[in-house]
Amino acid sequence: MQHAKDIFLSILRNKTTNRQAFREAATQLTHLLAHEVLQHLPTQNIPLETPLAATQGIAITTDVILMPILRSGITMLPTFISYVPQARIAVIGARRDEETAEAHLYYQNIPPHTKNTRVIILDPMIATGGTGLIALSLLKTLGIPESNIIFCSIICAPEGINKLKTQFPPVIHVTAAIDDHLNARKFIVPGIGDFGDRYFGTEG
Ligand code: URA
């Protein structure tokens, strides 16, 4: 699976990749990550009948909330909905100030949940971890157990993911790469540049 992830990651990393190819590679990579995330969702054996015989299958047994972090997290949402079609969706907006690299929560809309709900946070880039900390702190105040949270990213900086793992140890992380370091502007190196700008076409 890592080999497949690396193929699409290489397309994202390449600065000559055009917008269409960037979007396609991001989507393919998100499928691979979704497969891995599914392994962390509880399932139950269910009896079923094929056209030929009675047999056993499995089904996801818990409520699932998909939580994309605006803006880049929404690029991962359609792929995840295709795997968990019944999932509720929580949207939060946390923007990092490009000058200070500090993240601020400016929007939240959280659906009903219980202590058993699994929450899958979608955010392609974990840089300083500031945005992730805001998301995880919010879920904690809502009473979601940390072990019920899966944080799905495409690339992390060691600084960011280590911060999240230190402050919220039980959270499960699914990612395609932990890169080398953050540069002075808090961009991930080698990274892929600005994910949102390249995906949405807002680069200069
Ligand atoms: N967000 C991005 O899109 N890229 C980075 O390198 C860091 C944060």
Side-chain angles (χ1 to χ4, degrees):
M1 176 100 98
Q2 188 57 44
H3 186 67
K5 288 187 208 161
D6 286 341
I7 290 170
F8 296 108
L9 207 44
S10 302
I11 296 170
L12 295 182
R13 289 193 191 282
N14 191 337
K15 69 177 183 184
T16 67
T17 297
N18 69 26
R19 191 172 311 128
Q20 179 182 351
F22 187 89
R23 286 177 176 156
E24 286 167 356
T27 301
Q28 294 301 333
L29 195 42
T30 305
H31 277 281
L32 296 172
L33 294 167
H35 290 187
E36 207 169 313
V37 167
L38 281 194
Q39 292 172 15
H40 296 284
L41 296 179
T43 54
Q44 241 176 23
N45 291 338
I46 50 160
L48 55 86
E49 291 195 17
T50 76
L52 301 178
T55 186
Q56 285 237 326
I58 59 167
I60 294 169
T61 49
T62 50
D63 278 349
V64 175
I65 289 181
L66 300 172
M67 190 164 106
I69 302 181
L70 297 175
R71 150 181 89 152
S72 294
I74 60 172
T75 66
M76 302 170 82
L77 187 58
T79 301
F80 270 84
I81 291 175
S82 75
Y83 289 95
V84 198
Q86 292 292 339
R88 296 179 194 264
I89 296 166
V91 178
I92 69 165
R95 197 174 9 232
R96 77 170 183 162
D97 183 312
E98 292 301 332
E99 297 298 316
T100 63
E102 290 268 316
H104 304 277
L105 186 69
Y106 65 88
Y107 180 77
Q108 67 178 80
N109 196 336
I110 312 291
H113 51 274
T114 69
K115 280 200 158 30
N116 282 329
T117 303
R118 270 30 181 201
V119 179
I120 304 169
I121 301 175
L122 305 175
D123 190 4
M125 309 296 283
I126 298 179
T128 63
T131 308
L133 278 188
I134 286 180
L136 293 173
S137 304
L138 176 64
L139 292 174
K140 191 169 183 174
T141 62
L142 294 171
I144 306 275
E146 292 172 37
S147 53
N148 287 1
I149 302 171
I150 304 168
F151 202 127
C152 183
S153 60
I154 290 179
I155 301 185
C156 307
E159 295 90 329
I161 193 163
N162 290 341
K163 193 188 288 176
L164 300 184
K165 284 184 172 175
T166 304
Q167 298 202 27
F168 295 90
V171 170
I172 298 162
H173 286 270
V174 172
T175 191
I178 299 177
D179 271 8
D180 201 50
H181 65 278
L182 288 175
N183 70 10
R185 293 180 54 225
K186 308 296 182 196
F187 273 84
I188 301 170
V189 181
I192 56 172
D194 191 305
F195 182 94
D197 278 351
R198 294 184 71 189
Y199 192 101
F200 292 104
T202 47
E203 71 273 35

